Amino acid sequence: NAGVTQTPKFQVLKTGQSMTLQCAQDMNHNSMYWYRQDPGMGLRLIYYSASEGTTDKGEVPNGYNVSRLNKREFSLRLESAAPSQTSVYFCASKDSPYGYTFGSGTRLTVV
Amino acid sequence: TQLLEQSPQFLSIQEGENLTVYCNSSSVFSSLQWYRQEPGEGPVLLVTVVTGGEVKKLKRLTFQFGDARKDSSLHITAAQPGDTGLYLCAGAKSNTGKLIFGQGTTLQVKP
């Protein structure tokens, strides 16, 4: 079905390792977002891309980088993972004035 | 800084009871959205409210946007076990589409 696809679904990293979380949407949406979700904190915006070719920092960007590869794909990179980055990461896209479509998340544990 | 405060954070009720979840802020939002999230999945949009004082109904769910567009409520009538999940409110403050999420309300409806 159409929507937002995130890979991988689960990942365990050692402190200091790097990895890239992949996100792709097939709805031709212009805007894409990366959030992290931690217990009791709701979802916090890490980075977003309002359109292809642009990226901007969100509320909690430290320790992350992003790439808007094309209109479909928006990746999130952790260069040197830390235990504080243990979280569930969600990618979302949006085109209409309201309402995000979220992926099913990547559950990341950094040990 | 949590701009959107949701209450209560946890709610456990019996099937058939009514409940209300509140989402409050000191900031004005251009729109406010409610999402429902099930374990292991991403949030799914329930409704968007845009106009101050607006009321929207979705079967047994009633959503209201405050007159000043700073707060919102979600009322569920005759709750069912299928209503169990995490309910998130999210406010939009600009045309970038960035959303600020509340901490979420975990609802458990017991048969």
Side-chain angles (χ1 to χ4, degrees):
Chain A
N1 280 343
V4 178
T5 302
Q6 289 185 238
T7 56
K9 290 189 181 297
F10 301 93
Q11 183 71 51
V12 178
L13 289 178
K14 293 182 179 179
T15 298
Q17 286 185 318
S18 62
M19 79 161 294
T20 300
L21 281 64
Q22 306 287 353
C23 174
Q25 52 94 6
D26 57 6
M27 297 170 287
N28 203 36
H29 286 173
N30 285 315
S31 303
M32 297 185 73
Y33 306 82
W34 276 105
Y35 281 87
R36 60 177 289 174
Q37 186 174 33
D38 303 291
M41 301 289 289
L43 281 86
R44 292 181 292 168
L45 182 63
I46 305 171
Y47 270 93
Y48 69 101
S49 172
S51 61
E52 185 179 355
T54 67
T55 61
D56 282 290
K57 295 178 181 179
E59 181 185 356
V60 288
N62 292 344
Y64 306 95
N65 284 301
V66 291
S67 296
R68 182 75 182 266
L69 305 171
N70 47 55
K71 192 171 186 179
R72 290 186 64 249
E73 298 172 285
F74 187 39
S75 62
L76 178 71
R77 182 161 179 83
L78 287 69
E79 290 291 350
S80 179
S84 61
Q85 293 178 304
T86 293
S87 187
V88 182
Y89 291 86
F90 287 100
C91 176
S93 71
K94 182 179 86 71
D95 196 38
S96 63
Y98 321 114
Y100 284 18
T101 300
F102 282 88
S104 57
T106 295
R107 283 142 190 84
L108 175 66
T109 302
V110 182
V111 297
Chain B
T1 302
Q2 191 71 43
L3 295 182
L4 268 175
E5 297 290 337
Q6 262 186 261
S7 61
Q9 284 195 282
F10 300 98
L11 198 53
S12 181
I13 61 173
Q14 293 296 133
E15 181 176 1
E17 292 183 3
N18 302 330
L19 66 114
T20 301
V21 177
Y22 299 94
C23 182
N24 295 302
S25 176
S26 57
S27 300
V28 175
F29 293 101
S30 58
S31 67
L32 198 136
Q33 300 169 15
W34 285 91
Y35 290 81
R36 180 167 171 265
Q37 184 179 18
E38 298 197 30
E41 298 296 329
V44 176
L45 180 68
L46 294 174
V47 77
T48 301
V49 286
V50 179
T51 306
E54 183 176 3
V55 176
K56 282 192 174 179
K57 292 192 175 184
L58 188 66
K59 297 184 180 178
R60 293 177 292 100
L61 279 61
T62 301
F63 304 87
Q64 186 162 7
F65 202 12
D67 291 340
R69 291 186 289 129
K70 293 182 178 181
D71 53 83
S72 181
S73 64
L74 158 61
H75 182 78
I76 301 179
T77 303
Q80 304 293 314
D83 296 326
T84 293
L86 176 67
Y87 290 82
L88 294 157
C89 66
K93 291 184 65 65
S94 71
N95 290 333
T96 62
K98 290 190 294 181
L99 288 182
I100 298 168
F101 281 83
Q103 312 98 311
T105 296
T106 299
L107 172 64
Q108 180 187 41
V109 182
K110 301 174 188 174

